[in-house]
Amino acid sequence: MTDTEIILIRHGEAWDNKAPAVTEGLRGLSAHGVGQARRLAAALADDAREHGAFDALYTSPSLRCLQTSEPVASALALKALVAHPLRPPEAGVLTSAGGLVAEARPDFDREGPTAYAESAAAFLRSLPLNHPGQRVLVVGHQVTARTAMAVFLRLPVAGSWWGAPLEHGALTRWTHRADEADPAGACYLTAHNTTAHLDLPDEPPPYPQLADIRKAREQA
C-alpha cells in the first residue's frame, strides 16, 4: 500500500483594488498576506518535524503564490518548483479606482476558466504518479483547490471554477492511496480550509535540521 500526501495551499492575502495600478498576474502579497505566509511556513516546519519532511514544493507562477512559497521553501529547505499549468486565466490591469482595464493577453479569453481547469487537472493528476509515497506541497489559488476537489473525487472539472470559499493561507489535505488491488488508487480528503496555523507568530523559527531529516529519509 502506497500513500501520497498532497497538501494544497491558497496564497496569502494579495493587494486589493486600492493598491496602485498593477497587472493582475503581478499582484503581490499585502502586508497581512506576508504575515500569513510566515505563519504558514512555521506550521509546515512543525508538521515536517512531527510527520516527516516534505519531498516537493510546487507553486503557481502568479506573484502572490511565488511570494507565499518563499518563506515555506526557506523553512523547509526546499526549492519551489514553478508549475505553469497552475497559472490562472488572469487578464487586465487592476486600477486604483477598482475594476479591470483590458490588456492584451493571448492565453486569456472567454474559455479561460475551462482551459485553466483542464491544465490544472492534468498537473494534479500527475502528482501521485510522480511522487508515490511522498509528501507534496502545492501553492496555488482558490480555483486550484476547487479543481482538485473535482479531479480527486473523479467529477467533471468543467464546473470547478465555482465552489465553497477558501481562506487565504488555508490548507487542504488529500491522501492518494494505491495498492495491488487498486493500482490506480483513490484520493481521500482529510482536511479542508484549515486555518488554525494562521494564529501562530509571524516569524517562523529556524529548522535547519529539516535538510538532515530529508537526507536521512532519502538514504533509508
Side-chain angles (χ1 to χ4, degrees), residues 75-107:
L76 300 178
L78 283 173
K79 180 180 179 180
L81 305 174
V82 177
H84 291 281
L86 298 182
R87 183 185 186 189
E90 300 171 321
V93 172
L94 191 68
T95 68
S96 58
L100 291 174
V101 175
E103 177 189 38
R105 169 82 185 271
D107 60 342

Side-chain angles (χ1 to χ4, degrees), residues 77-164:
L78 283 173
K79 180 180 179 180
L81 305 174
V82 177
H84 291 281
L86 298 182
R87 183 185 186 189
E90 300 171 321
V93 172
L94 191 68
T95 68
S96 58
L100 291 174
V101 175
E103 177 189 38
R105 169 82 185 271
D107 60 342
F108 182 90
D109 55 29
R110 61 184 178 180
E111 300 300 325
T114 299
Y116 175 85
E118 292 175 350
S119 66
F123 172 79
L124 292 167
R125 289 191 188 100
S126 74
L127 292 177
L129 298 176
N130 294 332
H131 299 279
Q134 296 185 343
R135 309 186 75 204
V136 182
L137 297 167
V138 179
V139 179
H141 307 266
Q142 184 165 224
V143 69
T144 309
R146 292 172 176 173
T147 300
M149 186 77 70
V151 169
F152 294 150
L153 296 181
R154 300 178 184 178
L155 301 173
V157 299
S160 64
W161 191 249
W162 308 107

Side-chain angles (χ1 to χ4, degrees), residues 202-217:
D202 280 356
E203 292 294 339
Y207 288 122
Q209 68 270 32
L210 290 178
D212 296 330
I213 293 173
R214 185 165 49 258
K215 183 177 180 181
R217 183 176 177 179

